[in-house]
Amino acid sequence: MSILIDADTKVICQGITGSFGKVHTRGCCNYGTKMVGGVTPGKGGTKDENGLPIFDTVKQAVDATGADATMIFVPPTFASDAVLEAAEAGVKLVCCITEGVPVNDMIKARAVVDEMNGSREFTTGSRVVLLGPNCPGIITPGPKSGGGTSMADPYTSTGCKIGIMPGYIHTHADEAKCTTGKRVGIVSRSGTLTYEAVWQTSELGMAQSTCVGIGGDPVRGLGHIDCIRMFQDDPDTDGILMIGEIGGSEEEAAADFIKAHVTKPVAAFIAGRTAPPGKRMGHAGAIISAGAGGKPTGTADTKIEALRAAGANVAETPADMGRAMAAAFGL
Amino acid sequence: MARLHEYQGKAALRDHGIEVPRSGVARSADEAASIAREMGGAVVVKIQAWTTGRAALGGVKMADTPAQARAHAGAMLGMRIGNFPVTELLIEEKLDIARELFVSLTIDDAARRPMVLLSLEGGTGIEDRAEAVHRLAVHVSTGIDRAALEAALAGSTIDEGRRGAVAEAIVKIVETAAAIEARSLEVNPLVITGDGRVMAADCRVTVDDYAVFRHPELGIEIARELDHPPTELERIAFRVEEADHRGTFYFARLPHSEDDPKLVGFHGAGGGGSMMSMDAVTNAGFTIANFTDTSGNPSSAKVYAAARIILSQPGLVGYFGSGSGVASQEQFWSAYGLAKAFFEVGLSIPAVIRLGGNSEDRAVEILNDACKELPAVVEGYRKDDTPQFCAERFRELVEASGDRLQGTTREVPAFVGKAGSLSVKIDRGTLWVDLDACDSGTTALVVRHSSGLLKDEGGKPAIALSDEELAGKDSELIACEVECRRVGKPVVFVDIPIEGLD
């Protein structure tokens, strides 16, 4: 029915009393996510403005609420500790939204998570799945059934949104605006481009099964391949839209994976075609390296070439992402 | 990623037990001569600039005498390498090199750990000799794979007696990288001298931008991969970034000429959304002077500061703002910040701003209406207007305009600083209200748009909160200023001076 999260996922927020944690906890509640509590050390025993119980530790929150997912909004220096606290408390899906986490902290946190899983990859069977940091989160949309302006009148009763994305742009297959019957799984390194892709696919009459913003940092949790594998195996995902950026080599690896394992239609877009080499374009991972012998690596062109060779329909411009997906479906 | 100079990188290596040549840093030809004299014997004079291939550029020279060192230094200190004016030289003892090795550590995103590239047969032309390169992973708790390192050394032509010292140096290089949180650390060459010492003869280091704050000892001024010493504008922008953590603000000056007839200021929103918008405006034939991103619910004050900084760059023919079409932030706050910046500088070049996202209709209405009296054409667009469309429209407006800015300064209304005006401390600035100009109708208008921060007291606006509460406010008051101006009552001014600009 979707990947990683659904209407039954119970979610807590680490950093629920901070300014961002507060705003986005409310946003998730209003969407219809089963928010069950939050964590702020020192404020255990109190409640937040939505009436959610606050705990001192993730362990206490999990024991009391049975939470299986967390959304982290703590400052960068504490983010990797927050990730590990959640993983060790038994939370199955750890979503770290925080931007600016030092790469060494993530290398350590990821190594611990991989050790817990006994694998360097994430699958639906992983003991703990890490998403982010520096990402918008994950959403499995539900059909609109309410106003979405309060917990009492949520946007949907069968969806789940964990993160900072606007919920209303998404489409569920049961909604009238899904005229094609197609359900797209979206995986993206860019938050804002995810929203753009969601909007475009919705406008063209497609629905989304699950959308995952994997984040723009060089070392992080879920990668393109993890998500593409889950979408390929998900009976309720009909096609995959992948959005990459310059820098690193993950899109090239994903292209190899698509070629070998993916039978569903795939569309893609790569941002940063006109970026000059050696300049970080905002995201920590979005930088074209000078490369050996002066040949730049991680450019948009090498990624696009690899994806095209793997049979993906690569959009020329971001305005064509939705149409590229539709074309991949043969619509 | 932030760069270190060779001498800074060597200091870090030395602090972690790696032998480096005796040296001193010279900022004048006289200093170079006196360092050479103290050193005794032949020295190498090297420019300290963020570039590669210094030797080919004439930036590395041997000097047998202090007088030669002085002459070389005199010539080099006038050099300009790309955007980098040479102001510092490293004067180093000349080594008796018996053998050169190549060691390079980078954070490998696919391996998710540091990876060491090692060539034991010399560093020149390493990229063409892939077979001679060893790749050694660094484990997060156990460090570099010692067995693999020793096996690589055992298979090399390095003297058996020196292999232990080479291994030790490589281990310490890895430790240095971890200690200073390097994103990359290259020692090329690592040398074995005629008398058998193992030394770092040159190094290139970049540090994780996100970890720079933990390393004040490195003296990095701006956590960014610059190819030039920070400009005054970059310093100004970075201070704004550091001071205000509500949302992100990223400012990077891109290589450009101020005479470029297609030079534009670029203001994106969101990492990927900014990149796609940059692609759109570049493909429309423009050169962007800067890459800027304000996102993650930035305050109006932050967007205002970003716009002011962008507009202070000389040579701009237009201002292009565009990010994601569906930004998950209340876009009217951005519209207020932009409008304030635009009318403070009396904008005269076209601005096209794609404000797609939450509350986009309100945002576009605010921007278009607030800027209607400006000499410039300012147009706001929504999510359904693609970046390509916006870039095309922008091109038409720029072609029709023909104007070109030589930097901008802000204009402050006369009631600011006047006795009789209301003056209250707010976040990083001061709120001014022209009380003399406030009749009961105007007062009501000001209060209505103040989000409850101001009240009507005897027919004049007054603060409704305590001084302490108001001291943390800015965006609501910027909104109030813009709203009053929209209806022709410019009686409110939010004075948030940007250090270095105002």
Side-chain angles (χ1 to χ4, degrees):
Chain A
M1 66 163 285
S2 56
I3 66 166
L4 294 165
I5 57 169
D6 59 31
D8 298 323
T9 304
K10 284 186 264 182
V11 185
I12 56 168
C13 174
Q14 285 167 266
I16 191 167
T17 54
S19 60
F20 276 45
K22 201 184 281 185
V23 166
H24 293 295
T25 296
R26 170 152 293 241
C28 293
C29 286
N30 293 355
Y31 186 72
T33 305
K34 284 200 174 57
M35 294 298 303
V36 294
V39 177
T40 296
K43 294 199 178 158
T46 61
K47 286 190 186 318
D48 87 333
E49 58 184 30
N50 306 295
L52 299 174
I54 300 175
F55 302 89
D56 287 322
T57 68
V58 179
K59 181 81 173 61
Q60 288 166 2
V62 169
D63 288 348
T65 65
D68 36 33
T70 179
M71 147 170 107
I72 297 176
F73 284 100
V74 303
T77 18
F78 308 116
S80 68
D81 285 343
V83 164
L84 292 180
E85 186 191 346
E88 277 151 19
V91 177
K92 288 192 188 65
L93 176 64
V94 180
C95 307
C96 183
I97 313 295
T98 305
E99 178 173 0
V101 184
V103 71
N104 276 328
D105 292 5
M106 283 318 300
I107 289 173
K108 287 175 197 148
R110 180 66 201 262
V112 173
V113 166
D114 286 351
E115 199 157 307
M116 289 172 80
N117 286 328
S119 167
R120 284 174 51 79
E121 294 174 341
F122 293 112
T123 64
T124 43
S126 294
R127 195 172 133 198
V128 53
V129 170
L130 172 63
L131 172 60
N134 190 10
C135 78
I138 175 170
I139 181 169
T140 291
K144 181 172 166 60
S145 57
T149 53
S150 73
M151 250 176 126
D153 179 26
Y155 184 87
T156 178
S157 55
T158 58
C160 179
K161 155 178 137 88
I162 305 177
I164 62 175
M165 67 289 282
Y168 71 93
I169 58 173
H170 299 82
T171 303
H172 184 272
D174 290 349
E175 291 178 279
K177 60 179 169 168
C178 176
T179 53
T180 66
K182 297 295 187 192
R183 298 156 300 181
V184 185
I186 299 180
V187 55
S188 169
R189 269 169 72 187
S190 153
T192 47
L193 285 186
T194 319
Y195 313 159
E196 192 90 26
V198 167
W199 179 254
Q200 289 175 19
T201 49
S202 289
E203 285 288 288
L204 291 169
M206 290 174 267
Q208 299 84 33
S209 55
T210 300
C211 307
V212 195
I214 56 177
D217 281 1
V219 175
R220 54 184 146 75
L222 282 166
H224 278 305
I225 293 177
D226 298 318
C227 296
I228 291 169
R229 186 192 300 114
M230 291 181 203
F231 283 133
Q232 169 67 21
D233 295 342
D234 173 30
D236 292 323
T237 295
D238 303 309
I240 302 164
L241 176 53
M242 167 189 159
I243 300 163
E245 289 176 359
I246 53 166
S249 59
E250 204 181 343
E251 287 82 3
E252 290 86 335
D256 291 343
F257 182 85
I258 290 166
K259 198 167 192 175
H261 303 290
V262 176
T263 56
K264 294 179 180 178
V266 179
F269 176 71
I270 304 291
R273 251 183 142 159
T274 63
K279 279 274 174 191
R280 175 161 73 84
M281 293 291 121
H283 283 169
I287 178 165
I288 297 170
S289 308
K295 188 170 183 281
T297 64
T299 65
D301 287 345
T302 56
K303 292 170 190 291
I304 290 168
E305 237 168 77
L307 285 163
R308 287 215 168 113
N313 188 18
V314 183
E316 276 296 326
T317 75
D320 299 322
M321 290 187 291
R323 280 193 288 274
M325 189 70 247
F329 279 129
L331 295 172
Chain B
M1 295 296 139
R3 291 174 172 150
L4 295 185
H5 281 303
E6 178 190 0
Y7 73 88
Q8 295 166 319
K10 280 180 171 169
L13 289 165
R14 189 186 55 226
D15 290 347
H16 290 88
I18 297 144
E19 204 175 341
V20 298
R22 288 184 298 125
S23 68
V25 177
R27 292 175 183 84
S28 70
D30 284 347
E31 244 183 307
S34 83
I35 293 167
R37 196 170 306 117
E38 276 168 42
M39 209 96 76
V43 296
V44 190
V45 183
K46 299 178 177 182
I47 60 167
Q48 299 295 288
W50 290 319
T51 181
T52 50
R54 287 178 300 177
L57 299 166
V60 179
K61 294 248 162 82
M62 305 298 165
D64 291 326
T65 64
Q68 269 181 12
R70 180 197 307 273
H72 290 323
M76 287 180 189
L77 285 168
M79 285 171 76
R80 196 180 172 88
I81 307 294
N83 296 313
F84 207 111
V86 176
T87 59
E88 293 178 320
L89 305 171
L90 183 63
I91 316 296
E92 220 171 47
E93 67 171 312
K94 186 170 174 239
L95 298 177
D96 165 25
I97 298 172
R99 188 179 179 113
E100 296 192 344
L101 318 172
F102 167 90
V103 186
S104 167
L105 176 145
T106 51
I107 305 288
D108 185 308
D109 66 330
R112 297 194 293 269
R113 57 182 56 162
M115 196 65 84
V116 174
L117 289 187
L118 182 61
S119 168
L120 301 172
E121 311 301 332
T124 341
I126 183 165
E127 50 279 348
D128 303 324
R129 296 182 289 114
E131 74 288 349
V133 176
H134 302 275
R135 281 172 61 86
L136 306 173
V138 177
H139 191 271
V140 64
S141 49
T142 54
I144 193 167
D145 184 340
R146 288 297 283 254
L149 175 58
E150 274 153 28
L153 286 163
S156 75
T157 56
I158 294 173
D159 267 3
E160 249 184 283
R162 302 318 308 145
R163 289 177 192 164
V166 171
E168 217 38 57
I170 292 167
V171 167
K172 284 175 178 161
I173 288 169
V174 172
E175 287 169 0
T176 308
I180 63 171
E181 305 201 50
R183 273 290 288 268
S184 66
L185 196 168
E186 182 179 297
V187 177
N188 185 20
L190 180 70
V191 302
I192 303 173
T193 61
D195 56 0
R197 291 181 298 160
V198 177
M199 297 174 91
D202 194 1
C203 70
R204 299 181 65 197
V205 185
T206 65
V207 177
D208 181 9
D209 286 353
Y210 290 164
V212 162
F213 75 96
R214 293 201 281 224
H215 298 281
E217 79 281 5
L218 297 175
I220 294 168
E221 195 179 0
I222 295 186
R224 221 35 80 61
E225 61 292 332
L226 301 174
D227 61 355
H228 54 271
T231 63
E232 192 46 38
L233 194 62
E234 282 164 335
R235 291 199 176 100
I236 290 166
F238 200 68
R239 279 197 294 267
V240 172
E241 274 181 53
E242 286 194 311
D244 188 347
H245 289 287
R246 295 165 298 173
T248 54
F249 167 41
Y250 180 88
F251 176 88
R253 207 167 149 76
L254 297 189
H256 66 262
S257 153
E258 284 167 14
D259 303 324
D260 189 324
K262 293 285 204 176
L263 190 67
V264 298
F266 176 75
H267 189 161
S274 296
M275 266 187 275
M276 84 171 173
S277 302
M278 168 188 73
D279 288 349
V281 74
T282 305
N283 289 334
F286 291 102
T287 306
I288 61 173
N290 64 287
F291 183 86
T292 293
D293 171 12
T294 52
S295 54
N297 274 310
S299 62
S300 296
K302 201 164 199 172
V303 173
Y304 158 79
R308 289 282 322 281
I309 288 167
I310 292 169
L311 284 169
S312 73
Q313 303 175 104
L316 303 185
V317 297
Y319 190 103
F320 190 71
S322 167
S324 157
V326 272
S328 189
Q329 59 192 23
E330 297 310 320
Q331 291 285 55
F332 63 88
W333 292 119
S334 293
Y336 282 129
L338 289 168
K340 176 172 168 61
F342 291 170
F343 51 60
E344 263 186 30
V345 303
L347 190 71
S348 62
I349 52 170
V352 166
I353 314 288
R354 185 175 186 241
L355 284 161
N358 299 353
S359 65
E360 60 179 17
D361 289 338
R362 185 174 162 198
V364 169
E365 194 222 325
I366 289 166
L367 183 74
N368 290 354
D369 187 57
C371 296
K372 63 182 184 289
E373 307 285 342
L374 284 174
V377 179
V378 177
E379 294 183 355
Y381 289 95
R382 297 171 177 76
K383 67 167 86 63
D384 286 337
D385 308 308
T386 66
Q388 286 67 33
F389 168 83
C390 293
E392 271 313 303
R393 175 66 188 149
F394 182 60
R395 197 172 54 76
E396 288 168 20
L397 292 176
V398 169
E399 276 167 12
S401 147
D403 197 9
R404 185 182 181 82
L405 291 182
Q406 285 315 320
T408 53
T409 49
R410 67 170 182 161
E411 206 161 303
V412 175
F415 63 85
V416 169
K418 204 178 77 179
S421 294
L422 175 68
S423 160
V424 197
K425 178 87 192 67
I426 59 165
D427 197 14
R428 276 173 279 267
T430 312
L431 167 73
W432 294 90
V433 182
D434 187 0
L435 295 180
D436 291 346
C438 286
D439 56 20
S440 61
T442 310
T443 297
L445 173 82
V446 171
V447 171
R448 187 164 73 247
H449 289 297
S450 72
S451 304
L453 303 184
L454 300 174
K455 62 180 179 186
D456 183 336
E457 201 172 80
K460 301 285 184 190
I463 66 169
L465 308 176
S466 69
D467 285 350
E468 295 75 51
E469 285 170 309
L470 212 66
K473 300 291 182 187
D474 49 18
S475 293
E476 298 88 341
L477 298 163
I478 289 176
C480 182
E481 175 187 329
V482 174
E483 289 299 341
C484 291
R485 194 178 267 264
R486 278 177 71 184
V487 293
K489 300 280 182 197
V491 297
V492 176
F493 186 77
V494 178
D495 179 23
I496 308 177
I498 298 171
E499 191 193 335
L501 277 191
D502 299 323

